[in-house]
Amino acid sequence: DVKVTQSSRYLVKRTGEKVFLECVQDMDHENMFWYRQDPGLGLRLIYFSYDVKMKEKGDIPEGYSVSREKKERFSLILESASTNQTSMYLCASRPGQGGNTEAFFGQGTRLTVV
Amino acid sequence: AQSVTQLDSQVPVFEEAPVELRCNYSSSVSVYLFWYVQYPNQGLQLLLKYLSGSTLVESINGFEAEFNKSQTSFHLRKPSVHISDTAEYFCAVESGYSTLTFGKGTMLLVSP
């Protein structure tokens, strides 16, 4: 059974903290993604990576960074958490040819910044 | 730039009634279209996809979607819904570089 695993389901952090959200996939997929999901706004792409050590900005990268040191792991970093980053964060992976292939999602991390 | 418009944020319906969830897209790349479903407290999972060929695609649980190029639409339908279909449904379009652009979602609320 294919799997994308996010390390935490729920996180509560304080304003100004550095926050790490971890995602691991076991399907040997080249592409990995971080989205944030907010009511009424759907899913918005933060960053994605198409290979180890490669990263590309998505639609809303401000306030975030990412790291991909190994193929199976893609980390989202909030350098200094702010209350407007309270959201659901979803990680996804997809095979290298992308395009017509299915994206697999983790169960999400609900982050609250207080 | 690619975009997806889901016209309805919520669709309430009674059990065993038919339903249509609307999706319109714009795309400057090859048109690959997807519907994903999110059940409460879960991640997204693929419901069905249009890649090429027949414009009508079906899922294993009775949903179908029809690709209409002239109307740039990919509406999702089910002839008879169940309580268990209550979920949020997202339409998505391939956006190049293996990324997907999602609509804002439609919450399907099925009541007895």
Side-chain angles (χ1 to χ4, degrees):
Chain A
D1 196 17
V2 298
K3 195 171 281 187
V4 177
T5 303
Q6 294 182 231
S7 55
S8 305
R9 290 297 302 274
Y10 301 94
L11 275 179
V12 180
K13 296 293 182 180
R14 295 194 179 277
T15 301
E17 274 193 79
K18 190 170 186 176
V19 181
F20 294 86
L21 303 183
E22 306 287 347
C23 175
V24 176
Q25 52 100 358
D26 64 0
M27 296 164 282
D28 201 36
H29 287 167
E30 287 78 6
N31 303 297
M32 296 188 74
F33 310 86
W34 276 106
Y35 289 89
R36 67 176 279 177
Q37 181 181 10
D38 299 289
L41 297 178
L43 277 72
R44 294 178 291 167
L45 182 63
I46 305 172
Y47 266 97
F48 64 101
S49 168
Y50 54 87
D51 201 353
V52 175
K53 297 191 185 294
M54 306 303 291
K55 60 185 180 183
E56 296 287 342
K57 293 180 179 179
D59 300 317
I60 53 164
E62 297 78 17
Y64 303 94
S65 63
V66 290
S67 173
R68 191 154 181 215
E69 296 296 317
K70 292 184 178 182
K71 190 176 185 180
E72 66 271 19
R73 186 179 296 271
F74 192 37
S75 302
L76 180 68
I77 304 157
L78 286 66
E79 295 289 344
S80 178
S82 64
T83 55
N84 63 11
Q85 293 177 309
T86 291
S87 186
M88 172 70 87
Y89 291 87
L90 292 169
C91 175
S93 72
R94 209 174 176 197
Q97 65 268 34
N100 57 1
T101 61
E102 178 180 355
F104 293 87
F105 284 82
Q107 294 215 330
T109 296
R110 187 168 295 281
L111 173 67
T112 302
V113 183
V114 298
Chain B
Q2 284 63 245
S3 68
V4 176
T5 302
Q6 292 184 245
L7 296 167
D8 306 299
S9 59
Q10 273 194 11
V11 173
V13 64
F14 289 108
E15 194 173 20
E16 298 184 6
V19 70
E20 178 179 82
L21 307 183
R22 296 179 291 171
C23 172
N24 289 90
Y25 69 92
S26 66
S27 176
S28 57
V29 298
S30 298
V31 180
Y32 298 135
L33 293 159
F34 306 81
W35 275 100
Y36 282 81
V37 59
Q38 185 180 35
Y39 297 104
N41 298 315
Q42 295 187 25
L44 277 69
Q45 57 192 81
L46 182 67
L47 188 61
L48 48 76
K49 60 184 178 182
Y50 170 78
L51 308 177
S52 64
S54 172
T55 57
L56 187 66
V57 291
E58 297 178 350
S59 72
I60 58 172
N61 57 355
F63 282 94
E64 64 181 29
E66 185 164 16
F67 170 61
N68 187 318
K69 188 175 182 179
S70 63
Q71 297 187 4
T72 60
S73 68
F74 190 53
H75 300 332
L76 182 69
R77 302 184 182 97
K78 190 171 186 180
S80 176
V81 294
H82 302 286
I83 295 286
S84 60
D85 292 323
T86 293
E88 191 156 22
Y89 292 79
F90 292 93
C91 183
V93 65
E94 174 65 23
S95 302
Y97 301 103
S98 297
T99 65
L100 292 170
T101 297
F102 287 86
K104 294 184 178 181
T106 298
M107 187 69 206
L108 176 62
L109 299 166
V110 183
S111 54

